[in-house]
Amino acid sequence: MATIYIDNKPYEVKDGRNLLEVCLQLGIDLPYFCWHPALGSVGACRQCAIKSFKDENDTKGRLVMSCMEPVKDNIRISVNDKDAVHFREQVIGWLMTNHPHDCAVCDEGGACHLQDMTVMTGHSYRNYRFTKRTYRNQYLGPFLNHEMNRCIQCYRCVRFYKDYAGGKDLNVFAAHHHVYFGREKDGKLESEFSGNLAEVCPTGVFTDKTLQSHYTRKWDMDYAPSVCQGCSLGCNIVAGERYGSLRQITNRYNGEVNGYFLCDRGRYGYEFVNSVHRIREPAIRPHLNGTSSKEHIIRHVAAKLKEGKVIGIGSPRASLESNFALRQLVGEKHFYNGMSDADHDHTALALKILRDGPVPPAALHEVEKADMILILGEDVTNTAPMLALAVRQAVRQRPMQDAMREIHLSAWQDAAVREAMQEEKGPLFILNTFPTKLDELATRVQRDAPENLIRIAFQVSHSLDAAIPEVPDLGEVEQMLVNQITDALLAAQRPLIISGYGSGYDAFMKAAANISGALQKKGKQPMLNLTVPECNSLGLEMLGGHRLDSAFDVLLHGDAETVIVLENDLYRRADKHKIEAMFRYAKEVILIDHLYNQTAEKASVLLPAGTFAESDGTIVNNEGRAQRYYQVYVPKGSVQESWRWCLEIAQAAGIHRLNGLRHLDDIVWAMSIAVPALEPVQRLAPHADFRIAGQKIPREPHRYSGRTAIDANKNVSEPKPPDDPDTPFSFTMEGFRGEPPAPLIPFFWAPGWNSVQSINKFQSEIGGHLHGGDPGKRLLEGNRNGEITYFLEAPEAYVPIPGHVHIIPVYHIFGSEELSMHTPAIAQQAPDFFCIYMNPEDLHQWGITPGMWVNFELEGHAYVMAAMPNNWLPKGIAAINAGLPQSPVVDLPQFIRMGGDAVSDNIHSSTF
Amino acid sequence: MERPLTQHIAFPPLGLRQYEAVGGYQAARKAVKHMSPQEVLDIVKESNIKGRGGAGFSTGMKWSFVPMNVSGPKYLVANADEMEPGTFKDRWLLEGNPHQLIEGMIVAAYAIQATEAFVFLRWAYKTAAAEIRKAIQEAYDAGYLGQKILGTDYSLDLHLHTGVGRYMCGEETALLNSLEGKRATPRSKPPFPQVSGLFGRPTIVNNVETLSYIPHIVNKGAAWFQSLSHTADGGTKIYGVSGRVKKPGAWELPMGTTMRELIEEHAGGMLDGYRFRGALPGGASTDFLVEEHLDVKMDFAGVAAAGSRLGTGTMVVLDDRTCPVGFVHNLEHFFAQESCGFCTPCREGLPWTEKLLWAIEQGEGRAEDLALLASHATLLGPGNTFCALAPGAMEPLQSALKYFRDDFERHIKEKKCPYHTYT
Amino acid sequence: MLTTAEKELIEHEIRQVPAKKAACIEALKIVQEHRRWVSDESIQDVADILEMSPAEVDSVATFYNLIFRQPVGRHIILLCDSISCYVMGYRDLHRHITRLLGIQYGQTTPDGRFTLLPNPCLGTCDHAPALMVDHDLYRDLQPETLENILAKYT
Ligand SMILES: Cc1cc2nc3c(=O)[nH]c(=O)nc-3n(C[C@H](O)[C@H](O)[C@H](O)COP(=O)(O)O)c2cc1C
Ligand code: SF4
Ligand code: FES
């Protein structure tokens, strides 16, 4: 701690920080541009100037940039000094010489850091009378607009995109007052994290293109704290709505999880909520046009329930509450988990490792601190994108610590630290069959058949603990790699092992468990991060439920006649034949879901479910963190939470297991009794009756405009706002104006801070936790004192089977996830589902030229796919794109036969 | 009068043998074979030679910040980017005696135990490039460069890097970025290059004139160096005069020679029909001095006391028939163009001052423009911008506003340039 | 595509520096020496050989005054427009040369013979005004002498 004097008042502050951070943390409004809490300081914009004095007697002082000055004991500075105030105002004056003053037509208007800083410095009148320079804007793809004239050259975009996120195609060009930020030429931005530019940019250069397609001012939206449903990481988001459509997703700061950033799938994948394919009214065949009343349909479903022989199929993309409600509705014995069998096996294994094993799962912010990383068979950029961003930060740890020690720098001295580090990187080893984007950072990359890679990983665990059997017949090169990895693991303080579902091989995770377990035994502090397929896979697994396959059996055998499917397109979960058979055998298929999908097409009853934006619920991410998302708005039609449908049906059917439960809190309470492991969910967030000063928390900012005028064309009297019985939020702008508890922050705003930069007002330390702790509760902490049980069986070495290829899945950030594909901008970027990637030698061997159609059979289905050569695939291994709407729904890996008749007519390769 | 730096200047320059014949490479021999790095450093420190690149920082002090007991590479760079308008002194040394610079670099590199050295030469100096290249090769062939220099354990490689045009490349940290193949934007200090410089390694950047002096100091000692000067700042200095004088040129003279002597004796006085109005004493980024300063002794302290900077010591004379507003506009145009674009005040402020000056010169100035110019002159001052470019740019402006205020006001009042009707 | 000669020269430069990237400016210079200017395609080629992205190479290329990202004439005239030359009559020179060639700064004569560019101080202030054509420096210029000088370049 140090004592510093700001305008002659003493403050106790933490060492190691810079004065800008300190002032912001003390609540002193100091303007800045080039500094960003996650990117550190470079001193470019000169906006954060303050006066620094030698001692008490120094009355003149000198201007310094607060972002570049470290805290030192007894220093004296002034924020209010008149020279400093004047200089800060003039910095805005300079920036305004070229800024177009087009706030009225700028998407950033009202949520603009530049506007805020302009007001903060008091720069009100311009005295520059000459022409402004103008730029040509670029096309940057479907996610972002580019309006370079608004640029104030803070360099934050390139520093985020290039330095922080490793992007290659955005840079700064030219010099003096012509500096230009963009791409070398027009084209889609390549980074998966490009959308963050909209938040990183302090003005309206980079703005959200999807928002623009249904634009509304920031202050005119209803907001709620929410959780991304795009993958298993559970990044925190703020979702904004206006007039019944979801308009925008922005980052919701969570110091433990996603920090300041989101991936583009998470930011842009929301359009399914607004899809024309939404189910909005309950329907019953053959009257799918909505002629039956809701009451009638509920009575119908209730009658079915009373008849018995009902099973329920849950979903890994539905909340704990909805899954639990369905489980209670049909009875635990009749509840099936709704995952594909492979996903279920995978998730169950991950849960077992994380719950029973000694190593606790690593949160994203802990990943960033790892000083050695081993990635086993997982292409995280595509399966858990923000994990890749965290890994990018982690590889800087080692060299950064060295540099900081050697030349006495702090991490926030960004440019200097980068210069001292040069291209140095900490240890990162990647074992993966095909290349990944993180390979460029890796100390060593090993590409081989999955079996062979797993053997290397098992051997690493053996060399850490002889209790794990040796892997026989490992090659010399492989053994050297094993030694290298082992040494690096042992040299590290906080080694991290990453694995997951993406390869389809569970043995990767077993090896990961072995390695981390062995390290734990050696007294290290290893960390483990295992990806699982969907946003609530782990939560559903904790809730239990039978395998999906057995649900089909039960129906086929006539042991059940009615099936209630929860938020699930079964066609994505299992073989088409099986599902089709199920529809034939089941007398009644009741689907509670939000999109009209293949399952909906066959179901006899449809009940419209709320999406994450229209419901309250809890999901559990891949590190076992339960997180609550809240309803943003009351949707049109009869859409409501799935759990609410279950409650209504239960009431109509008189099902005692759900007796007396009416609201979110009730379900959570019942669930924590029924499933003790989920008990902490009860304490995730304040209950519905929570009030501050007797008031609810408003979803609408107090700048919300025109409420009484909205329906003026129909009725001049203001409609009564909807009630929210489930949460402490109101659907209006009325309510408590101050800062809500962290789990209940609907949007970031503070007086004078209309942009996302206001986050600093909600943190107990800049870049640290939110006041009162970050939202979410960890349900898994590892079993530190428990016995370590190793997985003992390593696979045999891979041997190609003559006449066959081995098919493995490839996941894509844009395309493999079901719901985000309803955003046109994302669908546009998905790969072709009808490609099969093969080693060129294999293609040659079977006389296939690239671009030819290949016929093959998988689980009794015939497929025709275009052969794409790929040098990175080992011989005998092929890959297909996983999770795309038309991709084969089969559990991979699998062998397929390549016969002489595998090839049909050639098509022109330029088709692709 | 002794002229150590320039006595052996010749065009074409002396080859290695000729240079050796006049005592060349004696200092390199002495230092590398018979002195410890510390001893070399001590002599240079004792001489109190101040950098000739513009900032006037003590060279010995600068070197002493280089950590001695670190492993890995260390670098020495000769700053030969000479691009400060009005400055043409280094060219003389580079074209006229490249071996002297190379020898100085060998001694300096030895003192800081650098493993590699660079000459960062500006693009336009084509003759210098050819001569340096030749001289480097000769020095390698003679065993003054390369592995195990003169049979000692000390090795040094020396490379010539020619720039691709940017005034910023002369700023020492921007120069390092440029040598790393990057944009020549400056770096923040701390860390200083002596600790984390080229490729993040300890690095010394010195001006050509500074380095060229080193052999002489090592040969003849600190006391000798001090004795050369008229003032407490030791040695001789290369002074230059350009503008409307009879004999523009550069001369090596004792440090502390007066402006009057320079202009009247060495430069032959003003051209017939022109009167002296003022001068930038040390290149474009120094404050004007005027008639009353003609007897100021041109050393670091003397010029500073008169309200300007010695800078590079090459002066640009303003005569009575050149418009001071146009003169300053030309300077600000240069600075605005050469701003790297990294920090706000410089990137946005300089073009503004340029436009204001242009408007005034065109007769479109407004009364309030002078206050705006003056406020820029303070706001773009030292410490307020990221590097010294913008503060340097403000020096001629602020002093012009002081000494030639009448001219500015006449432009505004008469709505035209009183000096000429140039279009 | 880079020629073998260009590639070899660039490879040589790469060997001089601790990281490939550090040869970026040298590589651009090499390309420009061979082709007079650096096209988008050359940016890509340089990027490939240095394992950089084209954006990163272009970021460097566009920073510097003397890397030409547009086609230039057979000869480059760099006219010093800095202070000593200004005092000594640079503007007369400028007016004269633009009339002579019929082009402004940044333009190339229609026959592709000359490109005219302003250039900060050429470091020969005691012989102002001055200009450079390609590698040749001309000093103490009078507008009348320009024609003879330019005649040397075809
Ligand atoms: C914009 C700018 C341009 C500079 N240009 C040069 C230059 O061309 N040559 C030079 O020696 N120093 C130049 N300097 C000064 C250098 O930064 C540095 O101080 C000098 O090279 C150190 O050498 P010395 O200690 O021998 O004087 C420049 C400084 C600035 C701010
Ligand atoms: S003062 Fe700022 S913009 Fe100007 S050259 Fe220095 S760093 Fe660049
Ligand atoms: S925030 Fe401090 S200089 Fe930009």
Side-chain angles (χ1 to χ4, degrees):
Chain A
M1 294 300 270
T3 306
I4 67 169
Y5 296 85
I6 305 178
D7 290 308
N8 293 321
K9 233 175 101 185
Y11 295 90
E12 283 287 304
V13 300
K14 231 169 105 172
D15 288 318
R17 297 242 152 195
N18 63 59
L19 295 176
L20 173 59
E21 291 173 324
V22 164
C23 287
L24 292 174
Q25 204 161 305
L26 292 171
I28 299 169
D29 283 345
L30 196 51
Y32 62 85
F33 288 114
C34 65
W35 175 81
H36 183 285
L39 306 177
S41 311
V42 289
C45 73
R46 320 305 279 179
Q47 184 64 72
C48 64
I50 54 170
K51 265 279 178 78
S52 161
F53 301 94
K54 276 210 273 308
D55 50 44
E56 277 160 275
N57 305 323
D58 179 5
T59 49
K60 215 160 145 262
R62 62 185 178 98
L63 278 190
V64 296
M65 299 308 127
S66 58
C67 72
M68 298 296 279
E69 296 290 313
V71 164
K72 287 195 205 105
D73 206 15
N74 283 319
I75 50 167
R76 310 188 76 90
I77 58 171
S78 167
V79 173
N80 299 331
D81 174 271
K82 97 180 170 332
D83 294 341
V85 169
H86 178 56
F87 183 78
R88 293 197 300 260
E89 188 206 324
Q90 189 51 47
V91 171
I92 296 283
W94 285 317
L95 295 174
M96 284 299 160
T97 60
N98 283 309
H99 188 79
H101 294 254
D102 61 343
C103 306
V105 294
C106 175
D107 285 5
E108 193 85 351
C112 175
H113 186 59
L114 176 59
Q115 282 179 337
D116 289 349
M117 299 299 106
T118 303
V119 174
M120 189 179 288
T121 59
H123 177 84
S124 322
Y125 295 97
R126 68 197 247 97
N127 43 12
Y128 174 81
R129 64 171 187 277
F130 305 101
T131 50
K132 294 167 184 281
R133 52 123 176 76
T134 52
Y135 290 120
R136 196 184 72 82
N137 301 320
Q138 290 181 325
Y139 167 77
L140 297 179
F143 292 150
L144 287 166
N145 301 303
H146 192 222
E147 180 52 69
M148 251 311 285
N149 288 334
R150 297 182 185 136
C151 177
I152 55 158
Q153 286 84 14
C154 70
Y155 288 74
R156 258 171 28 183
C157 56
V158 276
R159 293 179 56 227
F160 167 75
Y161 194 92
K162 199 166 116 245
D163 298 348
Y164 191 90
K168 310 270 184 289
D169 59 329
L170 183 95
N171 221 313
V172 50
F173 303 97
H176 52 92
H177 63 300
H178 291 159
V179 287
Y180 185 92
F181 298 83
R183 295 187 83 247
E184 186 221 357
K185 38 171 102 73
D186 286 37
K188 186 194 150 301
L189 284 170
E190 287 158 11
S191 168
E192 302 71 24
F193 307 102
S194 68
N196 294 302
L197 291 177
E199 289 187 52
V200 165
C201 173
T203 167
V205 178
F206 300 99
T207 50
D208 183 335
K209 221 180 211 173
T210 64
L211 168 66
Q212 195 180 47
S213 68
H214 39 212
Y215 185 72
T216 186
R217 288 282 175 206
K218 179 185 172 176
W219 62 73
D220 279 338
M221 285 192 257
D222 275 41
Y223 295 102
S226 192
V227 181
C228 179
Q229 320 263 315
C231 80
S232 62
L233 297 179
C235 295
N236 290 200
I237 55 175
V238 169
E241 171 268 2
R242 171 89 161 162
Y243 294 156
S245 74
L246 194 61
R247 304 295 173 106
Q248 186 190 27
I249 299 294
T250 49
N251 171 274
R252 178 164 63 104
Y253 182 87
N254 183 319
E256 306 246 316
V257 188
N258 49 306
Y260 292 90
F261 306 117
L262 292 176
C263 81
D264 287 352
R265 182 200 274 179
R267 183 180 300 271
Y268 296 112
Y270 66 89
E271 292 280 16
F272 71 92
V273 174
N274 306 324
S275 170
V276 290
H277 302 298
R278 285 294 302 274
I279 303 167
R280 296 214 174 262
E281 293 298 336
I284 184 164
R285 268 181 217 285
H287 307 293
L288 281 178
N289 55 5
T291 46
S292 305
S293 71
K294 178 179 165 186
E295 291 67 31
H296 168 76
I297 294 174
I298 286 189
R299 272 203 307 278
H300 173 83
V301 177
K304 289 287 159 195
L305 269 167
K306 280 197 218 146
E307 281 171 25
K309 291 200 159 186
V310 182
I311 64 168
I313 298 180
S315 170
R317 65 163 161 86
S319 66
L320 280 177
E321 289 82 355
S322 293
N323 277 299
F324 176 73
L326 178 64
R327 190 184 98 160
Q328 297 305 93
L329 186 67
V330 297
E332 194 180 344
K333 275 208 306 250
H334 309 294
F335 180 68
Y336 298 80
N337 67 25
M339 298 185 224
S340 77
D341 283 355
D343 283 357
H344 164 64
D345 291 346
H346 180 92
T347 313
L349 177 62
L351 179 60
K352 181 173 147 54
I353 292 169
L354 297 177
R355 186 180 51 204
D356 306 338
V359 180
L364 281 184
H365 107 102
E366 292 171 309
V367 169
E368 290 178 355
K369 300 278 172 296
D371 58 353
M372 188 285 177
I373 298 182
L374 172 61
I375 303 182
L376 300 177
E378 190 71 7
D379 177 6
V380 288
T381 309
N382 284 302
T383 58
M386 282 293 288
L387 184 52
L389 193 62
V391 170
R392 282 186 182 274
Q393 310 321 310
V395 294
R396 301 186 62 229
Q397 279 304 307
R398 262 290 177 85
M400 188 163 82
Q401 299 298 338
D402 291 348
M404 285 162 61
R405 229 185 356 262
E406 270 168 36
I407 52 175
H408 311 292
L409 294 174
S410 301
W412 51 262
Q413 286 167 303
D414 189 56
V417 170
R418 281 178 199 276
E419 180 56 39
M421 283 167 54
Q422 292 285 309
E423 304 284 301
E424 284 293 305
K425 286 174 196 84
L428 167 68
F429 293 83
I430 299 179
L431 311 190
N432 206 38
T433 305
F434 47 84
T436 73
K437 266 205 172 177
L438 290 178
D439 290 358
E440 63 186 24
L441 305 177
T443 319
R444 274 283 306 268
V445 174
Q446 181 79 0
R447 291 186 200 133
D448 203 339
E451 288 83 353
N452 297 346
L453 298 175
I454 294 164
R455 286 161 57 82
I456 292 173
F458 264 85
Q459 185 71 343
V460 170
S461 64
H462 165 75
S463 52
L464 291 169
D465 189 345
I468 302 161
E470 179 167 12
V471 177
D473 310 322
L474 214 57
E476 207 175 304
V477 181
E478 285 77 8
Q479 187 56 50
M480 268 166 60
L481 176 61
V482 167
N483 298 343
Q484 202 186 347
I485 296 175
T486 310
D487 291 347
L489 284 167
L490 290 172
Q493 300 303 313
R494 299 282 286 139
L496 164 71
I497 327 293
I498 293 174
S499 188
Y501 73 97
S503 65
Y505 284 79
D506 280 357
F508 272 122
M509 285 202 294
K510 293 179 179 164
N514 281 359
I515 295 171
S516 57
L519 286 166
Q520 181 88 14
K521 207 163 133 188
K522 278 204 162 355
K524 294 269 161 194
Q525 292 176 291
M527 299 184 281
L528 195 53
N529 195 300
L530 304 175
T531 67
V532 292
E534 280 169 67
C535 64
N536 196 24
S537 297
L538 210 61
L540 179 56
E541 201 61 50
M542 292 177 83
L543 205 58
H546 310 294
R547 307 171 75 85
L548 183 58
D549 232 25
S550 45
F552 301 142
D553 291 342
V554 171
L555 285 162
L556 261 48
H557 293 138
D559 295 337
E561 291 175 349
T562 298
V563 50
I564 305 178
V565 182
L566 174 78
E567 300 186 32
N568 212 332
D569 182 2
L570 298 177
Y571 286 87
R572 289 181 64 90
R573 308 288 180 191
D575 187 89
K576 194 163 81 188
H577 291 325
K578 281 189 187 163
I579 300 165
E580 238 107 80
M582 174 199 90
F583 275 113
R584 273 199 305 280
Y585 284 88
K587 292 218 172 99
E588 196 87 50
V589 178
I590 296 150
L591 175 68
I592 313 175
D593 205 350
H594 37 73
L595 281 170
Y596 199 80
N597 52 32
Q598 268 180 291
T599 305
E601 217 157 281
K602 289 275 171 63
S604 47
V605 174
L606 296 181
L607 298 173
T611 63
F612 74 97
E614 300 139 337
S615 47
D616 307 304
T618 309
I619 53 181
V620 181
N621 78 355
N622 75 321
E623 43 141 350
R625 184 184 302 270
Q627 304 192 97
R628 175 75 42 85
Y629 57 88
Y630 289 96
Q631 182 172 12
V632 186
Y633 62 107
V634 179
K636 289 196 270 280
S638 309
V639 173
Q640 60 180 359
E641 293 93 339
S642 300
W643 52 260
R644 191 153 256 137
W645 284 113
C646 294
L647 294 189
E648 287 186 10
I649 295 165
Q651 203 177 13
I655 289 175
H656 66 277
R657 288 183 299 267
L658 289 170
N659 236 354
L661 306 185
R662 294 182 55 219
H663 302 304
L664 183 75
D665 291 336
D666 306 340
I667 295 215
V668 171
W669 168 78
M671 182 169 74
S672 48
I673 290 172
V675 189
L678 297 177
E679 189 277 334
V681 175
Q682 272 220 80
R683 290 173 282 117
L684 267 191
H687 292 186
D689 56 5
F690 175 83
R691 296 290 179 276
I692 308 178
Q695 292 175 293
K696 286 198 142 201
I697 296 157
R699 282 179 171 89
E700 290 167 0
H702 67 293
R703 300 187 290 160
Y704 196 89
S705 60
R707 189 169 89 207
T708 51
I710 288 174
D711 296 323
N713 57 336
K714 299 174 216 146
N715 192 335
V716 287
S717 69
E718 189 184 334
K720 178 182 175 304
D723 283 332
D724 184 349
D726 298 308
T727 78
F729 292 107
S730 75
F731 281 109
T732 66
M733 59 194 279
E734 282 82 20
F736 180 68
R737 282 276 146 247
E739 184 183 337
L744 299 180
I745 300 170
F747 51 85
F748 292 104
W749 182 89
W753 296 78
N754 299 296
S755 80
V756 283
Q757 301 293 319
S758 57
I759 289 171
N760 73 59
K761 299 279 176 192
F762 294 76
Q763 293 165 329
S764 50
E765 187 175 317
I766 302 292
H769 302 301
L770 292 170
H771 290 146
D774 295 305
K777 284 244 181 309
R778 286 256 292 228
L779 306 178
L780 304 171
E781 285 301 345
N783 186 9
R784 278 182 194 278
N785 307 318
E787 189 118 319
I788 302 179
T789 41
Y790 288 126
F791 299 93
L792 301 180
E793 255 172 78
E796 299 284 315
Y798 171 72
V799 190
I801 303 179
H804 286 71
V805 292
H806 200 74
I807 298 204
I808 59 171
V810 205
Y811 286 85
H812 295 274
I813 174 169
F814 305 127
S816 296
E817 195 275 327
E818 178 185 1
L819 300 176
S820 56
M821 279 293 276
H822 290 265
T823 296
I826 283 182
Q828 226 181 72
Q829 302 186 51
D832 288 325
F833 68 90
F834 56 84
C835 283
I836 178 161
Y837 307 98
M838 282 199 248
N839 178 298
E841 277 184 50
D842 284 345
L843 288 178
H844 183 74
Q845 181 192 333
W846 286 302
I848 308 170
T849 49
M852 264 188 178
W853 294 113
V854 181
N855 294 311
F856 60 92
E857 220 174 82
L858 253 178
E859 296 188 344
H861 298 279
Y863 293 96
V864 188
M865 289 193 178
M868 301 295 281
N870 242 304
N871 292 316
W872 40 260
L873 280 170
K875 264 176 73 73
I877 296 189
I880 57 175
N881 295 320
L884 295 165
Q886 287 92 339
S887 287
V889 180
V890 287
D891 290 343
L892 296 175
Q894 282 210 20
F895 278 100
I896 57 166
R897 228 176 67 78
M898 297 294 291
D901 56 349
V903 180
S904 71
D905 47 340
N906 200 347
I907 60 161
H908 200 270
S909 51
S910 69
T911 323
F912 310 104
Chain B
M1 191 203 311
E2 274 189 88
R3 296 203 162 96
L5 277 179
T6 55
Q7 58 186 338
H8 298 304
I9 281 199
F11 303 99
L14 305 185
L16 182 104
R17 295 285 162 240
Q18 297 161 298
Y19 179 68
E20 281 176 332
V22 297
Y25 287 110
Q26 285 307 323
R29 231 171 246 286
K30 182 173 166 192
V32 175
K33 292 187 83 150
H34 305 295
M35 293 168 81
S36 69
Q38 185 62 43
E39 283 166 340
V40 178
L41 175 62
D42 286 345
I43 287 202
V44 173
K45 249 188 177 162
E46 206 188 320
S47 78
N48 194 28
I49 181 171
K50 294 191 178 139
R52 266 47 173 166
F57 190 77
S58 156
T59 303
M61 178 102 84
K62 192 194 257 188
W63 293 3
S64 69
F65 295 138
V66 174
M68 288 311 284
N69 44 4
V70 294
S71 55
K74 284 195 258 181
Y75 301 103
L76 172 79
V77 184
N79 189 345
D81 192 57
E82 190 168 67
M83 213 165 144
E84 171 95 359
T87 303
F88 50 98
K89 65 179 184 76
D90 293 341
R91 183 199 276 265
W92 199 24
L93 294 171
L94 292 161
E95 290 180 0
N97 197 355
H99 276 297
Q100 178 174 255
L101 170 64
I102 293 170
E103 184 179 7
M105 291 180 72
I106 294 168
V107 177
Y110 176 74
I112 61 164
Q113 290 289 293
T115 49
E116 233 175 308
F118 296 84
V119 177
F120 191 106
L121 183 71
R122 72 172 291 199
W123 181 91
Y125 285 7
K126 297 292 175 188
T127 312
E131 297 301 349
I132 292 168
R133 212 167 273 130
K134 199 155 75 190
I136 291 177
Q137 193 53 51
E138 285 179 335
Y140 265 103
D141 294 343
Y144 293 119
L145 287 172
Q147 291 303 305
K148 302 211 174 283
I149 291 172
L150 300 172
T152 65
D153 276 344
Y154 183 62
S155 305
L156 178 71
D157 277 316
L158 197 159
H159 311 276
L160 172 68
H161 174 95
T162 53
V164 271
R166 270 282 162 218
Y167 173 56
M168 272 310 290
C169 293
E171 198 283 333
E172 59 180 349
T173 59
L175 179 151
L176 298 176
N177 277 338
S178 194
L179 263 186
E180 289 186 21
K182 301 177 184 161
R183 296 161 63 84
T185 48
R187 301 176 182 171
S188 64
K189 300 185 240 182
F192 289 90
Q194 295 91 301
V195 179
S196 176
L198 188 61
F199 300 109
R201 305 292 312 168
T203 304
I204 286 291
V205 181
N206 270 134
N207 173 253
V208 168
E209 189 183 341
T210 316
L211 287 168
S212 294
Y213 231 122
I214 300 301
H216 306 291
I217 294 175
V218 167
N219 276 334
K220 306 204 177 142
W224 164 84
F225 179 80
Q226 280 298 332
S227 74
L228 295 177
S229 155
H230 289 331
T231 70
D233 289 335
T236 53
K237 172 80 191 79
I238 300 185
Y239 293 105
V241 179
S242 67
R244 287 195 165 120
V245 291
K246 288 209 174 85
K247 290 185 297 176
W251 313 274
E252 182 182 5
L253 298 166
M255 181 68 94
T257 303
T258 63
M259 241 161 89
R260 189 183 299 282
E261 181 184 332
L262 283 170
I263 295 172
E264 287 172 8
E265 273 180 40
H266 303 282
M270 297 299 291
L271 278 180
D272 295 336
Y274 292 90
R275 265 192 42 234
F276 174 85
R277 280 206 77 194
L280 306 174
S285 48
T286 55
D287 286 89
F288 278 101
L289 293 183
V290 290
E291 211 152 354
E292 66 187 80
H293 303 117
L294 279 173
D295 293 315
V296 163
K297 284 191 157 76
M298 295 263 290
D299 69 351
F300 292 103
V303 184
S308 183
R309 286 189 309 120
L310 178 60
T312 61
T314 43
M315 98 179 49
V316 187
V317 173
L318 169 71
D319 56 81
D320 61 339
R321 283 160 67 180
T322 298
C323 171
V325 178
F327 189 102
V328 178
H329 170 260
N330 177 275
L331 295 173
E332 299 312 330
H333 171 76
F334 164 81
F335 287 116
Q337 287 299 307
E338 293 304 318
S339 163
C340 75
F342 187 66
C343 73
T344 307
C346 173
R347 183 189 59 243
E348 312 290 344
L350 291 181
W352 195 350
T353 60
E354 189 208 336
K355 288 189 171 106
L356 285 166
L357 289 162
W358 179 246
I360 295 172
E361 213 208 351
Q362 296 304 300
E364 290 159 13
R366 298 179 186 174
E368 65 268 25
D369 289 353
L370 293 185
L372 258 177
L373 284 173
S375 98
H376 272 80
T378 18
L379 289 167
L380 268 60
N384 296 5
T385 56
F386 194 86
C387 81
L389 183 143
M394 289 301 102
E395 295 187 11
L397 174 63
Q398 71 190 12
S399 47
L401 286 172
K402 180 158 111 199
Y403 296 123
F404 313 119
R405 195 167 187 96
D406 289 352
D407 288 285
F408 283 85
E409 285 169 352
R410 265 186 70 192
H411 277 80
I412 295 172
K413 213 160 96 209
E414 296 172 18
K415 295 198 178 349
K416 68 176 173 59
C417 175
Y419 286 81
H420 56 80
T421 47
Y422 193 87
T423 47
Chain C
M1 256 240 308
L2 297 176
T3 61
T4 321
E6 287 168 318
K7 265 192 209 143
E8 274 170 14
L9 286 167
I10 295 174
E11 293 291 354
H12 172 79
E13 292 302 333
I14 292 174
R15 285 192 294 275
Q16 312 294 311
V17 286
K20 279 192 171 186
K21 276 182 187 193
C24 182
I25 292 174
E26 293 301 329
L28 290 166
K29 272 170 23 192
I30 290 166
V31 170
Q32 184 158 299
E33 269 160 33
H34 285 78
R35 301 159 190 255
R36 288 191 283 171
W37 68 291
V38 181
S39 65
D40 287 357
E41 192 201 335
S42 298
I43 290 282
Q44 180 70 55
D45 292 340
V46 168
D48 289 345
I49 195 166
L50 298 180
E51 293 171 14
M52 294 165 78
S53 72
E56 211 175 351
V57 174
D58 204 17
S59 170
V60 174
T62 54
F63 183 84
Y64 292 99
N65 290 331
L66 294 166
I67 295 293
F68 306 134
R69 287 287 280 110
Q70 283 173 31
V72 289
R74 289 193 294 284
H75 305 287
I76 310 278
I77 303 172
L78 296 176
L79 185 58
C80 176
D81 65 352
S82 287
I83 193 62
S84 303
C85 290
Y86 172 88
V87 171
M88 299 306 287
Y90 139 78
R91 286 167 298 170
D92 291 331
L93 219 54
H94 174 237
R95 188 165 39 184
H96 202 75
I97 203 165
T98 50
R99 277 192 202 147
L100 217 55
L101 298 177
I103 52 170
Q104 298 300 320
Y105 278 147
Q107 296 179 338
T108 301
T109 51
D111 58 0
R113 195 164 144 225
F114 291 111
T115 297
L116 178 66
L117 296 170
N119 195 71
C121 186
L122 287 171
T124 186
C125 318
D126 47 346
H127 294 283
L131 62 73
M132 275 179 96
V133 184
D134 300 340
H135 288 189
D136 311 324
L137 178 66
Y138 297 94
R139 327 193 286 178
D140 297 313
L141 292 170
Q142 304 291 324
E144 307 79 65
T145 55
L146 276 175
E147 213 156 343
N148 285 337
I149 291 172
L150 296 182
K152 290 192 233 168
Y153 300 88
T154 50

